[in-house]
């Protein structure tokens, strides 16, 4: 498919690049048909002088690159091109939410189970820039059904959902899809229902 990002990097003089572990660093180097040979210098050393760390990269091969994304680097003499492809699966479809029990919201969505192994329901809290994430497993049918507990009655919530690519690290942000469109819900007290699908709340803050 088409790359998510395509950037040109000069090999003439001293420049900056996101290098090891995604940190911005100064570099200089050369390339040929088989390798992009870079020397990395710690920022703020913008003169590319002093101690450096070799950072050779394969040319014209698909390898694991920045933030775990697939990448291909190609040599063009005085510059090289880095193409990055997205690991992210498509966002979940058909997000639906309804009250199911006291202080609980039942939410479901549809995904491709061959690409996705879990989803994260992102629930806004009733104060600015804060949210909770609720992880839920994926059924073989591709449907996800989860109970979001401990909501405050009478408060307005927005629910979104994102998908995680199967087989990738849960801690890799590149392996998560974009958020779906929001569903808005006002929590109300209802009779308790003992049936629920348990998951895990993780607190996060939106910036």
């Amino acid at each position: 498919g088409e790359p998510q990002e395509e950037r040109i990097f000069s090999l003439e003089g001293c420049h900056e690049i996101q290098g090891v572990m995604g940190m911005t660093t100064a570099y200089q180097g050369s390339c040929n048909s088989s390798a992009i040979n870079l020397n990395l210098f710690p920022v703020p050393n913008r003169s590319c002088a002093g101690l450096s760390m070799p950072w050779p990269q394969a040319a014209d091969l698909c390898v694991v690159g920045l933030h775990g994304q697939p990448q291909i680097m190609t040599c063009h003499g005085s510059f090289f091109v880095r193409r990055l492809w997205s690991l992210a699966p498509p966002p979940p479809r058909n997000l639906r939410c309804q009250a199911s029990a006291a202080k609980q919201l039942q939410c479901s969505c549809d995904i491709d189970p061959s690409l996705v192994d879990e989803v994260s329901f992102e629930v806004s809290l009733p104060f600015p820039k804060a949210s909770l994430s609720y992880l839920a497993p994926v059924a073989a049918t591709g449907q996800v059904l989860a109970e979001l507990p401990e909501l405050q009655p009478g408060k307005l919530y927005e629910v979104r959902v994102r998908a995680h690519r199967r087989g990738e690290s849960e801690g890799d942000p590149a392996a998560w899809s974009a958020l779906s469109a929001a569903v808005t819900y006002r929590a109300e007290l209802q009779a308790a229902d003992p049936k629920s699908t348990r998951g895990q709340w993780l607190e996060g803050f939106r910036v």
Side-chain angles (χ1 to χ4, degrees):
E2 293 296 317
Q4 180 187 36
E5 177 186 302
E6 182 172 327
R7 290 188 60 188
I8 295 174
F9 295 88
S10 175
L11 288 170
E12 297 179 339
C14 184
H15 302 276
E16 289 188 357
I17 191 173
Q18 276 190 293
V20 179
M21 302 300 292
M23 297 177 62
T24 299
T25 182
Y27 78 91
Q28 62 181 186
S30 61
C31 70
N32 54 47
S33 59
S34 61
I36 315 292
N37 296 304
L38 302 181
N39 289 314
L40 304 184
F41 299 82
V43 171
N45 181 1
R46 300 180 186 275
S47 63
C48 291
L51 295 176
S52 66
M53 180 181 71
W55 194 46
Q57 300 288 296
D60 294 320
L61 290 177
C62 184
V63 297
V64 176
L66 191 65
H67 304 307
Q69 295 173 257
Q71 79 170 20
I72 296 178
M73 287 183 169
T74 54
C75 175
H76 298 271
S78 62
F79 67 92
F80 68 92
V81 176
R82 181 175 67 189
R83 297 177 179 87
L84 291 171
W85 279 261
S86 175
L87 283 174
R93 307 178 305 277
N94 303 324
L95 174 60
R96 306 169 296 278
C97 293
Q98 63 181 11
S100 62
K103 302 182 182 180
Q104 289 190 351
L105 184 63
Q106 184 183 79
C107 290
S108 63
C109 62
D110 300 318
I111 53 86
D112 181 348
S114 67
L115 297 178
V116 175
D117 55 6
E118 67 179 349
V119 303
S120 174
F121 290 94
E122 312 274 325
V123 183
S124 67
L125 295 179
F127 46 90
K129 293 189 176 181
S131 65
L132 289 173
S133 297
Y134 186 87
L135 299 179
V138 174
T141 59
Q143 188 177 56
V144 181
L145 181 64
E147 302 280 356
L148 310 186
E150 301 178 18
L151 303 183
Q152 298 180 33
K155 300 296 184 179
L156 189 66
Y157 292 89
E158 280 191 347
V159 181
R160 295 176 174 86
V161 63
R162 68 172 81 236
H164 177 259
R165 179 171 287 275
R166 183 176 294 280
E168 299 297 329
S169 169
E170 191 178 283
D172 183 357
W176 289 91
S177 76
L179 284 167
S180 70
V183 169
T184 302
Y185 170 78
R186 186 176 297 278
E188 302 291 348
L189 277 173
Q190 296 194 15
D193 184 344
K195 296 180 181 179
S196 66
T197 302
R198 294 298 178 188
Q200 180 182 4
W201 278 116
L202 300 171
E203 188 169 8
F205 289 87
R206 216 176 278 141
V207 295

